[in-house]
Amino acid sequence: MKQLQIFILLLVLFIGSCNFPLKKTETCTVSKEQYLNDKKQIADYILKNVEFYRLNPEANSISCYPDYANDFFPYSRMTEIASDTRVTSPIPASQYLSVFVDTIVYNQHGTKCFIFCAVETKVIKSKRYRTRRKNRNIDAKAYVGVRDTISDSLMIYPFKKYQVLFNGDRKACKYVEFYYFHWLKGDYLSGSHYEGFWAFKQNVDDPDFFEKSIIFQRYDDSTFNYQYHYMDLMKYPFLR
């Protein structure tokens, strides 16, 4: 029922103006320089991982670096027009992908954050290959970022609760943000170790989100819930 309500709301918002009111708290607990560095690191992290899978397609196996979340490997592929099959991209990821980091919500120390960004797939004009079709070329999604101190680089993990595919508009991030700011609380992550045990009790911009959300609680003595793929409980293996 909640999924239906979300779909209806997003449909109304899409048909109407995109400048809808959004409860947005992009907390600035880091310096402007650090904030810009974080945005660059996040974008570079995504592109670097896509390029890794493009150059090493065999790595997407359980014996190496499987992309459990399907967050990078699919971008390393293009469609060969003649055979209508997915093949490894013949050109570097940076030439057909761009990453836009829209919002970073930090905790009070700047050591934990929730990230909203969009990955744009450029339409390639080629007689042999094509990328994703123009009407589905923006993926808006969320990540979790953590570090020991504010001067460290972020460790970044996909958070796959909610994602939007969009047509050529980076405002797609606003739809993802709307869900996490308003509707995460009371929901659960289907097919995960959250399901059947915990419903989320905080939205991302709640004051106690980073301290009390189950997302940031320990799974065991050495790992946290955000580090796991949501079905087989294997840790995300991506490059850093």
mmCIF file of all heavy atoms in Angstrom, residues 2 10 17 53 63 65 71 76 85 96 100 108 124 132 149-150 158 166 175 182 185 205 213-214 227:
data_model
loop_
_atom_site.group_PDB
_atom_site.id
_atom_site.type_symbol
_atom_site.label_atom_id
_atom_site.label_comp_id
_atom_site.label_asym_id
_atom_site.label_seq_id
_atom_site.Cartn_x
_atom_site.Cartn_y
_atom_site.Cartn_z
ATOM 1 N N LYS A 2 1.935 1.215 0.843
ATOM 2 C CA LYS A 2 2.812 2.372 0.914
ATOM 3 C C LYS A 2 3.507 2.605 -0.433
ATOM 4 O O LYS A 2 3.675 3.727 -0.873
ATOM 5 C CB LYS A 2 3.862 2.199 2.017
ATOM 6 C CG LYS A 2 4.841 3.368 2.104
ATOM 7 C CD LYS A 2 5.672 3.333 3.367
ATOM 8 C CE LYS A 2 4.849 3.761 4.550
ATOM 9 N NZ LYS A 2 5.657 3.972 5.758
ATOM 10 N N LEU A 10 4.663 10.492 -6.578
ATOM 11 C CA LEU A 10 5.725 10.814 -7.538
ATOM 12 C C LEU A 10 5.139 11.137 -8.912
ATOM 13 O O LEU A 10 5.642 12.018 -9.616
ATOM 14 C CB LEU A 10 6.699 9.644 -7.655
ATOM 15 C CG LEU A 10 7.534 9.351 -6.403
ATOM 16 C CD1 LEU A 10 8.474 8.185 -6.647
ATOM 17 C CD2 LEU A 10 8.313 10.582 -5.979
ATOM 18 N N SER A 17 4.684 20.767 -11.143
ATOM 19 C CA SER A 17 5.958 21.454 -11.041
ATOM 20 C C SER A 17 6.956 20.635 -10.252
ATOM 21 O O SER A 17 6.620 19.978 -9.288
ATOM 22 C CB SER A 17 5.760 22.811 -10.352
ATOM 23 O OG SER A 17 6.991 23.395 -10.033
ATOM 24 N N TYR A 53 35.079 -2.489 -13.240
ATOM 25 C CA TYR A 53 34.290 -3.581 -13.802
ATOM 26 C C TYR A 53 34.317 -3.577 -15.328
ATOM 27 O O TYR A 53 34.203 -4.629 -15.963
ATOM 28 C CB TYR A 53 32.849 -3.514 -13.297
ATOM 29 C CG TYR A 53 32.717 -3.912 -11.855
ATOM 30 C CD1 TYR A 53 32.360 -2.987 -10.885
ATOM 31 C CD2 TYR A 53 32.960 -5.217 -11.447
ATOM 32 C CE1 TYR A 53 32.249 -3.347 -9.550
ATOM 33 C CE2 TYR A 53 32.859 -5.593 -10.119
ATOM 34 C CZ TYR A 53 32.503 -4.653 -9.176
ATOM 35 O OH TYR A 53 32.407 -5.022 -7.849
ATOM 36 N N SER A 63 33.925 -15.091 -6.580
ATOM 37 C CA SER A 63 35.295 -15.386 -6.174
ATOM 38 C C SER A 63 36.184 -14.151 -6.203
ATOM 39 O O SER A 63 37.333 -14.222 -5.816
ATOM 40 C CB SER A 63 35.892 -16.456 -7.093
ATOM 41 O OG SER A 63 35.915 -15.981 -8.432
ATOM 42 N N TYR A 65 35.268 -9.751 -6.996
ATOM 43 C CA TYR A 65 34.618 -8.540 -6.506
ATOM 44 C C TYR A 65 33.189 -8.458 -7.034
ATOM 45 O O TYR A 65 32.875 -7.628 -7.868
ATOM 46 C CB TYR A 65 35.394 -7.298 -6.944
ATOM 47 C CG TYR A 65 36.720 -7.117 -6.247
ATOM 48 C CD1 TYR A 65 37.895 -7.495 -6.865
ATOM 49 C CD2 TYR A 65 36.780 -6.562 -4.973
ATOM 50 C CE1 TYR A 65 39.121 -7.332 -6.228
ATOM 51 C CE2 TYR A 65 37.992 -6.381 -4.336
ATOM 52 C CZ TYR A 65 39.160 -6.780 -4.973
ATOM 53 O OH TYR A 65 40.363 -6.610 -4.335
ATOM 54 N N ASP A 71 25.316 -1.932 -8.443
ATOM 55 C CA ASP A 71 25.471 -0.493 -8.361
ATOM 56 C C ASP A 71 26.508 0.044 -9.334
ATOM 57 O O ASP A 71 26.519 1.235 -9.629
ATOM 58 C CB ASP A 71 25.861 -0.101 -6.932
ATOM 59 C CG ASP A 71 25.315 1.258 -6.551
ATOM 60 O OD1 ASP A 71 24.084 1.391 -6.515
ATOM 61 O OD2 ASP A 71 26.114 2.178 -6.323
ATOM 62 N N SER A 76 28.974 -0.563 -16.671
ATOM 63 C CA SER A 76 30.151 -0.908 -17.471
ATOM 64 C C SER A 76 29.767 -1.599 -18.770
ATOM 65 O O SER A 76 30.628 -1.981 -19.556
ATOM 66 C CB SER A 76 31.085 -1.821 -16.673
ATOM 67 O OG SER A 76 30.530 -3.125 -16.523
ATOM 68 N N THR A 85 22.520 -7.372 -27.644
ATOM 69 C CA THR A 85 23.016 -8.007 -26.424
ATOM 70 C C THR A 85 23.889 -7.022 -25.661
ATOM 71 O O THR A 85 24.483 -6.104 -26.233
ATOM 72 C CB THR A 85 23.836 -9.264 -26.738
ATOM 73 O OG1 THR A 85 24.935 -8.917 -27.609
ATOM 74 C CG2 THR A 85 22.966 -10.318 -27.403
ATOM 75 N N TYR A 96 31.162 8.406 -20.954
ATOM 76 C CA TYR A 96 29.715 8.272 -21.148
ATOM 77 C C TYR A 96 28.917 8.355 -19.841
ATOM 78 O O TYR A 96 27.691 8.270 -19.863
ATOM 79 C CB TYR A 96 29.372 6.967 -21.885
ATOM 80 C CG TYR A 96 29.754 5.695 -21.172
ATOM 81 C CD1 TYR A 96 28.859 5.035 -20.337
ATOM 82 C CD2 TYR A 96 31.017 5.136 -21.336
ATOM 83 C CE1 TYR A 96 29.210 3.867 -19.685
ATOM 84 C CE2 TYR A 96 31.378 3.967 -20.693
ATOM 85 C CZ TYR A 96 30.476 3.338 -19.869
ATOM 86 O OH TYR A 96 30.829 2.179 -19.219
ATOM 87 N N PHE A 100 26.562 13.379 -10.376
ATOM 88 C CA PHE A 100 26.194 14.637 -9.736
ATOM 89 C C PHE A 100 25.792 14.354 -8.295
ATOM 90 O O PHE A 100 24.820 13.635 -8.045
ATOM 91 C CB PHE A 100 25.029 15.279 -10.491
ATOM 92 C CG PHE A 100 24.408 16.450 -9.790
ATOM 93 C CD1 PHE A 100 25.099 17.639 -9.650
ATOM 94 C CD2 PHE A 100 23.130 16.347 -9.251
ATOM 95 C CE1 PHE A 100 24.523 18.723 -8.983
ATOM 96 C CE2 PHE A 100 22.552 17.415 -8.602
ATOM 97 C CZ PHE A 100 23.252 18.604 -8.465
ATOM 98 N N GLN A 108 26.761 15.459 13.440
ATOM 99 C CA GLN A 108 27.313 16.679 14.019
ATOM 100 C C GLN A 108 28.836 16.720 13.980
ATOM 101 O O GLN A 108 29.440 17.797 14.071
ATOM 102 C CB GLN A 108 26.842 16.833 15.470
ATOM 103 C CG GLN A 108 27.276 15.712 16.397
ATOM 104 C CD GLN A 108 26.829 15.940 17.824
ATOM 105 O OE1 GLN A 108 26.637 17.077 18.238
ATOM 106 N NE2 GLN A 108 26.646 14.859 18.583
ATOM 107 N N ILE A 124 25.125 7.727 -26.456
ATOM 108 C CA ILE A 124 26.235 7.599 -27.394
ATOM 109 C C ILE A 124 25.691 7.449 -28.812
ATOM 110 O O ILE A 124 24.847 6.607 -29.080
ATOM 111 C CB ILE A 124 27.114 6.382 -27.036
ATOM 112 C CG1 ILE A 124 27.693 6.533 -25.634
ATOM 113 C CG2 ILE A 124 28.224 6.191 -28.058
ATOM 114 C CD1 ILE A 124 28.640 7.695 -25.475
ATOM 115 N N ARG A 132 22.162 3.292 -22.387
ATOM 116 C CA ARG A 132 20.753 3.271 -21.948
ATOM 117 C C ARG A 132 19.940 4.275 -22.756
ATOM 118 O O ARG A 132 20.414 5.347 -23.106
ATOM 119 C CB ARG A 132 20.687 3.612 -20.460
ATOM 120 C CG ARG A 132 19.286 3.670 -19.904
ATOM 121 C CD ARG A 132 19.321 3.913 -18.410
ATOM 122 N NE ARG A 132 19.810 2.742 -17.710
ATOM 123 C CZ ARG A 132 20.049 2.710 -16.398
ATOM 124 N NH1 ARG A 132 19.872 3.788 -15.695
ATOM 125 N NH2 ARG A 132 20.470 1.605 -15.818
ATOM 126 N N THR A 149 37.744 10.155 11.324
ATOM 127 C CA THR A 149 37.881 11.571 11.660
ATOM 128 C C THR A 149 37.501 12.396 10.441
ATOM 129 O O THR A 149 37.507 11.895 9.309
ATOM 130 C CB THR A 149 39.319 11.935 12.069
ATOM 131 O OG1 THR A 149 40.182 11.858 10.917
ATOM 132 C CG2 THR A 149 39.835 10.984 13.150
ATOM 133 N N ILE A 150 37.210 13.655 10.661
ATOM 134 C CA ILE A 150 36.731 14.500 9.578
ATOM 135 C C ILE A 150 37.790 14.724 8.497
ATOM 136 O O ILE A 150 37.473 15.077 7.361
ATOM 137 C CB ILE A 150 36.232 15.852 10.148
ATOM 138 C CG1 ILE A 150 35.303 16.528 9.131
ATOM 139 C CG2 ILE A 150 37.392 16.735 10.545
ATOM 140 C CD1 ILE A 150 34.539 17.687 9.703
ATOM 141 N N PRO A 158 26.687 1.540 -0.885
ATOM 142 C CA PRO A 158 25.356 1.741 -1.466
ATOM 143 C C PRO A 158 24.275 1.456 -0.434
ATOM 144 O O PRO A 158 24.412 0.562 0.406
ATOM 145 C CB PRO A 158 25.297 0.708 -2.600
ATOM 146 C CG PRO A 158 26.717 0.327 -2.860
ATOM 147 C CD PRO A 158 27.431 0.467 -1.553
ATOM 148 N N PHE A 166 15.104 8.236 -14.277
ATOM 149 C CA PHE A 166 14.486 9.470 -14.739
ATOM 150 C C PHE A 166 14.961 9.812 -16.139
ATOM 151 O O PHE A 166 15.964 9.286 -16.628
ATOM 152 C CB PHE A 166 14.857 10.609 -13.770
ATOM 153 C CG PHE A 166 13.701 11.498 -13.384
ATOM 154 C CD1 PHE A 166 12.659 11.022 -12.629
ATOM 155 C CD2 PHE A 166 13.693 12.830 -13.759
ATOM 156 C CE1 PHE A 166 11.614 11.842 -12.246
ATOM 157 C CE2 PHE A 166 12.654 13.664 -13.390
ATOM 158 C CZ PHE A 166 11.610 13.167 -12.629
ATOM 159 N N TYR A 175 13.288 13.466 -5.615
ATOM 160 C CA TYR A 175 12.294 12.440 -5.340
ATOM 161 C C TYR A 175 12.846 11.408 -4.364
ATOM 162 O O TYR A 175 12.132 10.923 -3.479
ATOM 163 C CB TYR A 175 11.858 11.766 -6.643
ATOM 164 C CG TYR A 175 11.120 12.693 -7.571
ATOM 165 C CD1 TYR A 175 11.803 13.453 -8.518
ATOM 166 C CD2 TYR A 175 9.741 12.822 -7.491
ATOM 167 C CE1 TYR A 175 11.131 14.323 -9.361
ATOM 168 C CE2 TYR A 175 9.050 13.680 -8.334
ATOM 169 C CZ TYR A 175 9.756 14.428 -9.262
ATOM 170 O OH TYR A 175 9.092 15.291 -10.089
ATOM 171 N N HIS A 182 10.932 11.735 4.468
ATOM 172 C CA HIS A 182 9.548 11.691 4.937
ATOM 173 C C HIS A 182 9.004 10.284 5.183
ATOM 174 O O HIS A 182 8.137 10.116 6.043
ATOM 175 C CB HIS A 182 8.628 12.394 3.925
ATOM 176 C CG HIS A 182 8.867 13.859 3.805
ATOM 177 N ND1 HIS A 182 8.220 14.789 4.585
ATOM 178 C CD2 HIS A 182 9.711 14.566 3.007
ATOM 179 C CE1 HIS A 182 8.633 16.008 4.272
ATOM 180 N NE2 HIS A 182 9.539 15.898 3.319
ATOM 181 N N LYS A 185 10.926 6.291 7.810
ATOM 182 C CA LYS A 185 10.457 5.912 9.144
ATOM 183 C C LYS A 185 9.208 5.033 9.038
ATOM 184 O O LYS A 185 8.237 5.393 8.377
ATOM 185 C CB LYS A 185 10.150 7.167 9.968
ATOM 186 C CG LYS A 185 9.747 6.879 11.401
ATOM 187 C CD LYS A 185 9.549 8.191 12.159
ATOM 188 C CE LYS A 185 9.171 7.942 13.608
ATOM 189 N NZ LYS A 185 9.023 9.226 14.358
ATOM 190 N N ASP A 205 16.651 12.993 8.130
ATOM 191 C CA ASP A 205 16.912 14.305 8.718
ATOM 192 C C ASP A 205 16.413 14.432 10.153
ATOM 193 O O ASP A 205 16.384 15.523 10.711
ATOM 194 C CB ASP A 205 16.334 15.419 7.849
ATOM 195 C CG ASP A 205 14.838 15.292 7.645
ATOM 196 O OD1 ASP A 205 14.288 14.225 7.970
ATOM 197 O OD2 ASP A 205 14.224 16.248 7.152
ATOM 198 N N SER A 213 19.584 5.200 14.366
ATOM 199 C CA SER A 213 19.052 4.399 13.262
ATOM 200 C C SER A 213 19.720 3.032 13.228
ATOM 201 O O SER A 213 20.926 2.892 13.431
ATOM 202 C CB SER A 213 19.288 5.100 11.919
ATOM 203 O OG SER A 213 18.902 4.235 10.845
ATOM 204 N N ILE A 214 18.919 2.009 12.945
ATOM 205 C CA ILE A 214 19.444 0.650 12.851
ATOM 206 C C ILE A 214 20.496 0.546 11.754
ATOM 207 O O ILE A 214 21.353 -0.344 11.770
ATOM 208 C CB ILE A 214 18.283 -0.347 12.625
ATOM 209 C CG1 ILE A 214 18.758 -1.790 12.856
ATOM 210 C CG2 ILE A 214 17.678 -0.180 11.233
ATOM 211 C CD1 ILE A 214 19.177 -2.080 14.265
ATOM 212 N N GLN A 227 27.214 -2.060 6.053
ATOM 213 C CA GLN A 227 28.296 -2.668 5.277
ATOM 214 C C GLN A 227 27.857 -3.893 4.496
ATOM 215 O O GLN A 227 28.606 -4.389 3.651
ATOM 216 C CB GLN A 227 29.447 -3.057 6.212
ATOM 217 C CG GLN A 227 30.155 -1.877 6.830
ATOM 218 C CD GLN A 227 31.263 -2.297 7.770
ATOM 219 O OE1 GLN A 227 31.003 -2.623 8.926
ATOM 220 N NE2 GLN A 227 32.475 -2.323 7.283
#
